[in-house]
Amino acid sequence: LWFSDLRDRARLAAVEGYTTRFESPALLAAEFAAIRRDAGGASGEVGGSCSFRVRASPAAREVTAVLEIEDGATLELQVKLPAAAPLKAAEVECRNKVGIKDGRLRKWLLSIAVFLRNQNQGVLDAIGLWKANLEQEFAGVEPCLVCMCVISTVNGQLPRLSCRHCHVSFHPACLYKWFRSSGKSNCVHCQNPW
């Protein structure tokens, strides 16, 4: 992008000021109109038990996507569009990140930022990419048999400790609580020694 290579501060400020004043308002208005028009198709039930919704705030230049996995366990993506769009990059952050490892989340956020910066796509397309990643991440995840939840209420993790006999997965905190309360180290499901 030629704009990022400008070294003359006066020219940089002039181009950014012109874009912010004359070009960006129309581009942002079109983007938010597309979000209002198409967000109805982006909201609703996902994968049977998850709900998904998209909110847009043109005044703050923010778009927020919320995916609720279970009661109280939500993932929230916020895309903040710059006043000098498309010259400046959109800011992408994940406010709530239950059940997703930090490294994987960073990769997703980076891919969304690059997607918005380098592709000629809209914010809803980037949110669709995030949603597809999440659906793939949570596809086929069975709930922990101790708490009956996919997302741990203690630390927001997925079940990750598996019994070597029956291969059923549990949240670490739930499993340790089970061991303490039962007084033995047997699998909750198959009752074989852990």
Side-chain angles (χ1 to χ4, degrees):
L1 297 166
W2 64 272
F3 178 74
S4 59
D5 293 335
L6 279 178
R7 299 290 176 233
D8 182 3
R9 290 182 188 241
R11 185 172 295 159
L12 183 81
V15 170
E16 188 174 334
Y18 172 82
T19 303
T20 301
R21 188 167 178 199
F22 296 108
E23 301 297 330
S24 294
L27 293 171
L28 291 172
E31 184 71 39
F32 282 106
I35 291 168
R36 275 192 305 274
R37 181 184 68 243
D38 297 337
S43 298
E45 293 294 314
V46 177
S49 63
C50 303
S51 69
F52 180 71
R53 62 188 178 282
V54 177
R55 296 185 312 261
S57 174
R61 297 184 318 274
E62 292 179 355
V63 180
T64 305
V66 179
L67 180 67
E68 184 176 359
I69 307 299
E70 294 178 322
D71 294 337
T74 60
L75 291 123
E76 189 171 321
L77 177 75
Q78 180 186 35
V79 179
K80 185 161 178 59
L81 299 171
L87 297 180
K88 300 277 184 158
E91 296 174 22
V92 181
E93 81 173 297
C94 192
R95 290 186 178 164
N96 296 341
K97 51 186 175 187
V98 295
I100 306 294
K101 293 181 180 172
D102 287 338
R104 182 167 295 192
L105 183 64
R106 274 193 304 274
K107 287 179 185 177
W108 289 351
L109 295 178
L110 181 61
S111 71
I112 291 169
V114 168
F115 181 82
L116 286 169
R117 182 78 175 155
N118 297 332
Q119 305 292 324
N120 194 17
Q121 303 291 327
V123 173
L124 275 182
D125 296 316
I127 289 172
L129 178 66
W130 177 72
K131 180 180 163 186
N133 283 331
L134 288 174
E135 288 174 346
Q136 187 176 16
E137 181 75 15
F138 290 114
V141 176
E142 295 292 325
C144 170
L145 291 181
V146 177
C147 68
M148 299 308 293
C149 294
V150 172
I151 305 290
S152 171
T153 57
V154 175
N155 56 15
Q157 293 181 344
L158 294 174
R160 62 184 173 120
L161 294 180
S162 297
C163 174
R164 62 179 172 247
H165 301 285
C166 66
H167 305 290
V168 173
S169 297
F170 305 94
H171 299 121
C174 295
L175 193 59
Y176 297 137
K177 185 177 179 180
W178 172 264
F179 290 163
R180 278 192 314 264
S181 67
S182 69
K184 43 190 170 172
S185 306
N186 291 350
C187 174
V188 176
H189 183 254
C190 68
Q191 294 298 311
N192 282 316
W194 195 262

